[in-house]
C-alpha cells in the first residue's frame, strides 16, 4: 500500500514538475518575443517635439546635440534642397546629410553640410503644439494645424517659391529672409496652388510645416521618406 502511495505521489510530483517546466518555457518564449517586439518598435514614436527643442536645434547649433537629446534617428541619407537647381547654377553642387526623426507629434528632419553644425531643421507637425519660428513678425497666429496661415505681410517679404511635386503629393515651398538680428531663412510649406494669378492666391492658405535654415537651401519631408 505504501509503495502504491509512493508511486502515486511520485507521479503527481513528476507531472506537476513537467507542467511547471512547460509553462516556464512558454513564459520564457513569450518574454523573448515581447522583448524582440520592443526592440523592433520605434523608440522615437514616444518622443515629443517641443518648441523648446525647436529652438535648441536651431541652425548653426551643434549637430550631435540632436542625437544626445533624441537618440538615433529613424533614417539617415544624403539630401537635396528644394531649390537645388537654382542654387547649383549660382554656387555649384552642395552635399547635405539629413537625419529624420519620426516623433509622436511631428516629423523632424535635421540637415547638416559639415556634420558638425546644423544647417537646417524641417518640421511637419501632427498636432497643434508647434509654433513657426519668427513667424510672429508677420502674424499673431503661429500655431501650425490650428490658425497659422500665409498672409499679405509675409507675401510682401517673399524671396522665392518652389513647387514640390511627386507621384503622391503636390506642395509649395515659399521662402523669406528674416534679416537682422537673426539672419535665418524661413521656408513655409503649403498644399500646392496653381499660381496663375500670382502669389496673392497664397493669402490665407494653411501652413503645413516649415524649414528654418542658416542659408537659402531648404529641405522638405517627402511622403516616401515618411515610410
Amino acid at each position: 500500500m505504501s509503495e502504491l502511495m509512493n508511486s502515486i505521489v511520485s507521479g503527481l510530483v513528476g507531472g506537476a514538475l513537467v507542467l511547471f517546466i512547460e509553462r516556464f518555457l512558454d513564459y520564457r518564449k513569450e518574454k523573448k518575443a515581447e522583448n524582440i517586439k520592443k526592440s523592433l518598435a520605434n523608440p522615437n514614436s514616444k518622443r515629443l517635439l517641443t518648441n523648446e527643442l525647436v529652438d535648441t536645434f536651431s541652425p548653426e547649433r551643434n549637430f550631435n546635440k540632436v542625437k544626445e537629446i533624441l537618440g538615433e534617428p529613424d533614417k539617415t541619407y544624403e539630401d537635396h534642397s528644394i531649390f537645388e537647381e537654382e542654387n547649383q547654377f549660382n554656387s555649384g553642387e552642395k552635399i547635405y546629410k539629413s537625419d529624420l526623426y519620426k516623433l509622436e507629434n511631428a516629423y523632424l528632419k535635421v540637415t547638416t553640410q559639415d556634420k558638425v553644425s546644423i544647417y537646417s531643421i524641417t518640421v511637419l507637425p501632427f498636432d497643434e503644439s508647434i509654433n513657426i519660428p519668427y513667424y510672429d513678425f508677420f502674424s499673431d497666429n503661429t500655431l501650425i494645424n490650428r490658425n497659422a496661415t500665409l498672409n499679405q505681410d509675409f507675401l510682401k517679404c517673399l524671396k522665392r517659391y518652389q513647387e514640390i511635386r511627386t507621384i503622391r503629393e503636390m506642395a509649395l515651398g515659399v521662402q523669406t529672409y528674416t534679416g537682422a538680428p537673426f539672419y535665418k531663412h524661413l521656408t513655409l510649406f503649403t498644399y500646392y496652388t496653381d499660381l496663375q494669378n500670382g502669389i496673392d492666391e497664397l493669402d490665407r492658405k494653411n501652413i503645413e510645416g516649415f524649414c528654418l535654415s542658416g542659408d537659402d537651401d531648404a529641405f522638405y519631408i517627402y511622403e516616401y521618406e515618411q515610410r
Side-chain angles (χ1 to χ4, degrees), residues 55-174:
D55 181 63
T56 299
F57 302 151
S58 181
E60 301 176 5
R61 300 280 179 86
N62 190 317
F63 179 68
N64 290 325
K65 191 70 175 178
V66 183
K67 288 185 180 180
E68 290 179 13
I69 296 174
L70 294 180
E72 291 297 319
D74 293 280
K75 291 185 177 181
T76 299
Y77 44 85
E78 185 176 315
D79 212 346
H80 302 276
S81 169
I82 63 171
F83 301 113
E84 180 179 38
E85 291 186 7
E86 178 181 343
N87 286 356
Q88 184 175 343
F89 176 79
N90 294 331
S91 57
E93 184 178 3
K94 299 177 183 178
I95 298 176
Y96 294 100
K97 170 193 167 187
S98 288
D99 286 346
L100 180 65
Y101 290 86
K102 301 177 183 180
L103 305 173
E104 182 174 343
N105 63 329
Y107 288 118
L108 169 67
K109 176 184 282 191
V110 185
T111 303
T112 182
Q113 190 174 13
D114 57 11
K115 300 182 181 179
V116 175
S117 60
I118 296 171
Y119 180 90
S120 70
I121 60 168
T122 304
V123 177
L124 294 182
F126 311 143
D127 61 12
E128 303 175 349
S129 64
I130 303 298
N131 286 297
I132 304 169
Y134 308 119
Y135 197 59
D136 53 347
F137 290 110
F138 307 101
S139 173
D140 293 331
N141 300 324
T142 62
L143 277 171
I144 301 177
N145 294 329
R146 179 183 296 180
N147 51 23
T149 61
L150 296 171
N151 61 27
Q152 287 295 333
D153 289 337
F154 178 86
L155 296 175
K156 289 176 184 177
C157 301
L158 192 66
K159 180 180 178 182
R160 57 181 175 173
Y161 61 86
Q162 177 64 47
E163 296 177 5
I164 302 168
R165 293 194 184 196
T166 69
I167 296 175
R168 295 179 179 272
E169 59 196 337
M170 297 175 66
L172 191 74
V174 291

Side-chain angles (χ1 to χ4, degrees), residues 150 161-166 168-174 188-197 201-202 205-208 220:
L150 296 171
Y161 61 86
Q162 177 64 47
E163 296 177 5
I164 302 168
R165 293 194 184 196
T166 69
R168 295 179 179 272
E169 59 196 337
M170 297 175 66
L172 191 74
V174 291
L188 304 179
F189 302 112
T190 186
Y191 289 126
Y192 179 74
T193 298
D194 188 359
L195 302 178
Q196 291 183 348
N197 299 317
E201 292 188 14
L202 295 174
K205 289 279 289 182
N206 289 334
I207 298 170
E208 308 299 330
Y220 186 63

